[in-house]
Amino acid sequence: MKSFALFKKDWESELRTRYAINALAMFVLVTISVIMFSIGDEKITEYLTGGLLWVVIFFSAMSGLSRAFVSEEERGTTLTLQLIASPTTIFSGKLLFNLILVFLMNIAITILFSMLFDSFVVKNLSLFIVAFLLGNIGIAISSTIIAAIISKASSKGTLYPVLSFPILLPLILTLLELTKFSMDGNSISSSIVEIAVLFSYDVIMGTASYLLFDFIWKD
Amino acid sequence: MTNYTVELNKLVKYFGRRLIFDGIDYSFQSGHVYGISGPNGSGKSTLVKIIACLISPTKGSIKHSFDGKTVEEEALHNFLGFVSPYLFLYDEFTAEENLIHVSKVRGIKFNKERSDFLLNEFNLYERKSDLLRGFSSGMKQRLKFAFALLHKPQLLILDEPTSNLDNSGKEKVYQFIQSEGKTKLVLVASNEEADLALCEKVLELQNFKNLQPRQ
């Protein structure tokens, strides 16, 4: 409940300042436009479109999801948060905010891709949805804990994608594989190993983040 | 009267190789107003942050107890009210919205009656629906007192409580320090003589400076 209250505070703050939403929307539009200009009239393969989808998602996440903690640090309100809530509440609230943001952003990106790229055809939608759900949860968890780490650093902008890349790489590679499978029309049962990898990634990152956050948050 | 105590055991704090203070052994008890004083850079703010468990000491420990039971660090925010010049509230919210959000995140029901009382006491009631970005630094400082007192904390830590305040604001703060200090534990970190005049005991930080460099 306290975490939800923190999420609500962040959401209302975001609706007023529009810092993350504007950054994400602009980034998504610019990136997709650049891809479309660079492709021109060329026909690109299904697999390449699937790959591009996750590239856009990865970099969009890098441009907006760090705001959860960075904005608190920049405005000097980190101390206020420390004085009103436990670290677990703060992490849960920020994670909830990033989860909602990731899902909204990625649904918008996927819809844009399916409208703009003819070759983006998913034959097994249920497999794609499973990958999409688990992938988004993984991206939100990783982005939130990395945002907490970099919010204390002086060069936040550079550090975020640099730190995120090795942490998100196994997730993105698995998501690329599953997107390819869903485009091939493979069944969920034949992709169970990749789904298990995604699920394990989410559980491991979630557990590690909750355990580490106390140390990151203090000092 | 409640029984809240804070015990400092052999506290040492270094920033890098620079010693801030060394070997602070002290005990604070509710029903008193304590002062923490010292020249600039003596570690007043550092000490109050350590007491509030916002930063860790290099060596030593702090123990918070309420009615004989140890207050865990995770739960300390429920017992603590904190005011300082380096504390910032949310500019994009109004004064009242700030207090509502803070109450909800604390997990307590927003007490509108107490909020109105505190806003009125600190002369902010008429401006409670205005965004904080339009507030002066003195008004923001007054709101910090409402923020710190809203949940009726047992421990009140005031770091330079009268900074940015006009004379009427200072008078109001002194009234609150005196009234809260009768039943609760109030710590005032300041160099202002008027602030320290309210304190029954004053901890002089320059007495805790061992000039030995860090090994």
Side-chain angles (χ1 to χ4, degrees), chain B residues 77-131:
Chain B
H77 61 273
N78 295 323
F79 296 86
L80 174 67
F82 193 97
V83 176
S84 79
Y86 46 85
L87 172 74
F88 296 96
L89 297 173
Y90 295 92
D91 276 355
E92 65 273 25
F93 294 130
T94 66
E96 191 173 39
E97 282 172 342
N98 263 288
L99 299 180
I100 292 171
H101 283 303
V102 162
S103 294
K104 287 183 178 171
V105 175
R106 280 187 193 281
I108 54 176
K109 196 168 176 276
F110 175 63
N111 187 340
K112 186 166 170 49
E113 207 175 306
R114 180 150 177 87
S115 164
D116 285 349
F117 165 74
L118 289 168
L119 289 171
N120 197 36
E121 284 293 303
F122 287 102
N123 209 15
L124 290 170
Y125 188 79
E126 302 296 321
R127 301 285 304 271
K128 71 174 182 175
S129 301
D130 291 356
L131 293 179

Side-chain angles (χ1 to χ4, degrees), chain A residues 92-114:
Chain A
S92 305
K94 297 289 181 188
L95 177 59
L96 192 56
F97 177 79
N98 270 357
L99 267 172
I100 302 289
L101 211 56
V102 162
F103 270 99
L104 288 177
M105 171 188 87
N106 291 354
I107 288 169
I109 293 172
T110 312
I111 290 171
L112 279 174
F113 256 71
S114 57

